[in-house]
Structures are given as C-alpha cells and as structure tokens.
Amino acid sequence: KRATELAVEQEVPNANFLVKNALEMDYPDNTFDIVWACESGEHMPDKKKYIDEMMRVLKPGGKFVMATWCQRDDRDVPFTKKDERDLNYLYEEWTHPYFISIESYAELIDDTGMMNSVTTADWKVQTIASWRHSVWVGVYDPRGFIFKPHKYIKCIRDGYCLERMHRAFDRGLMEYGMFAATKKI
C-alpha cells in the first residue's frame, strides 16, 4: 500500500506493486523485458530455483541485472573456523539461509542455458561505506530513542550486526555481487 502511495506522490500512477514468491512466480514464460533483482538472492533458500525462475520469466533478448550479497568463493581456499563463525552469525542474526559466491551465481546462470555470457563484478568498494552509514543514521536520530525506545534498542543490536557485516566485507569474507546478462534469442 505504501509503495503505491509513494508512486502516486512521485507522479508514477501506473506502477503496480505485488508480493510474490520469487521461487514460484505465476507469470508465463518470457513475460518481462527486464528482470532486476536487488538484494534478494541472499534471502532465497534455493538459489538455483531463484535463478531458474528469473531466467524463465525473462523475454528472449531481455536484460537481467542482479545485485546481491555473496560470500567469497571457498573452493580454492576453504573457510577458516573464524569465517564459518562469522557467516553463521550473519545467517542467524538476519535469518539468511546461506550465501553463495559470485562465481557460484554465475555458474547457476550459465547452467540455465538460456543466457548469453554473464558479466560479474564485486562492488564491495562501491558499497562498503553504506554499512557504517546505515548504523549511524539510526543512532544519530533521537526520535527513535524518544518515541520508540524499544525500537531504538533493536537499532543498537542491528548496528552491531551491520558492523560485523562491514568487517566481513572489509576482510574479503563477503562480496557485493553484481551480475548482468541478456537472454538468448
């Protein structure tokens, strides 16, 4: 409801906002010219099904773009005990099922056989400052403490988690995956 209100305020009255299951979309094959997925892959319990569904609903010649949190690829250098503890903390604190690497996402996209070559990048450098910024935006706003003190306590807890995420990105455990590809005609 709020998204629709904001769209009207921004003079975009033809926007349509729906809540859907990304693992079982009820759209026909080849429906959309563009599929844009922003920070949703990390929440999906079945990454393959998630990718398959997006590729299925994309029209031939359509553009696919995805931004998602990823872990580093651990196939050549396995995770240390500290890496595993840090990942488990992030999974549990934010109820993420698991992360996969940029390379693993690219392989899932390639394995569909529907897409031209996928371009990948790690945008850690471009996004890392936002983790600490997110914390301080909440901490510096006194309205939360004054009007909703129980929410402010949650903000402090989230701040700690965001700092842990920032550090995971900073030391290379986490990556910010960017993906772009077009669907074969």
Side-chain angles (χ1 to χ4, degrees):
K1 180 179 173 185
R2 182 68 180 134
T4 302
E5 292 168 358
L6 290 171
V8 171
E9 285 175 20
Q10 296 295 315
E11 299 180 10
V12 186
N14 64 336
N16 188 10
F17 299 93
L18 304 169
V19 176
K20 297 279 187 178
N21 179 349
L23 301 179
E24 293 180 20
M25 292 186 264
D26 57 2
Y27 298 110
D29 295 356
N30 307 317
T31 299
F32 298 103
D33 296 316
I34 298 172
V35 171
W36 163 240
C38 185
E39 294 189 359
S40 52
E42 59 271 19
H43 301 280
M44 299 299 150
D46 187 335
K47 310 299 192 216
K48 179 182 181 330
K49 193 169 185 181
Y50 173 62
I51 293 297
D52 288 348
E53 273 296 277
M54 289 189 290
M55 303 306 105
R56 181 187 67 77
V57 299
L58 186 62
K59 287 181 181 176
K63 308 279 185 219
F64 168 73
V65 180
M66 181 173 72
T68 191
W69 307 349
C70 299
Q71 67 187 31
R72 73 168 172 78
D73 193 344
D74 66 329
R75 291 178 278 198
D76 292 332
V77 179
F79 292 133
T80 65
K81 293 290 184 197
K82 178 178 177 18
D83 293 338
E84 290 173 359
R85 276 193 313 272
D86 288 348
L87 286 170
N88 284 328
Y89 174 82
L90 296 172
Y91 299 152
E92 291 168 9
E93 188 65 22
W94 280 333
T95 62
H96 290 99
Y98 63 101
F99 305 119
I100 63 173
S101 66
I102 291 172
E103 295 82 358
S104 292
Y105 269 117
E107 290 164 7
L108 288 174
I109 295 166
D110 287 341
D111 288 350
T112 67
M114 296 184 214
M115 304 300 288
N116 292 313
S117 179
V118 62
T119 301
T120 66
D122 179 1
W123 279 18
K124 176 186 80 171
V125 171
Q126 294 87 337
T127 60
I128 195 166
S130 67
W131 293 103
R132 286 193 176 137
H133 175 76
S134 297
V135 171
W136 293 113
V137 165
V139 170
Y140 283 143
D141 186 350
R143 292 174 294 180
F145 181 73
I146 295 166
F147 298 112
K148 295 183 179 179
H150 62 284
K151 299 282 187 190
Y152 192 77
I153 299 302
K154 183 181 180 319
C155 178
I156 299 299
R157 183 177 171 168
D158 286 347
Y160 176 72
C161 192
L162 285 165
E163 179 60 24
R164 297 262 317 247
M165 181 63 98
H166 175 94
R167 291 178 185 194
F169 274 101
D170 195 41
R171 69 184 177 89
L173 176 60
M174 294 296 294
E175 301 173 331
Y176 195 91
M178 293 297 298
F179 304 83
T182 57
K183 190 168 184 178
K184 294 176 182 175
I185 297 178

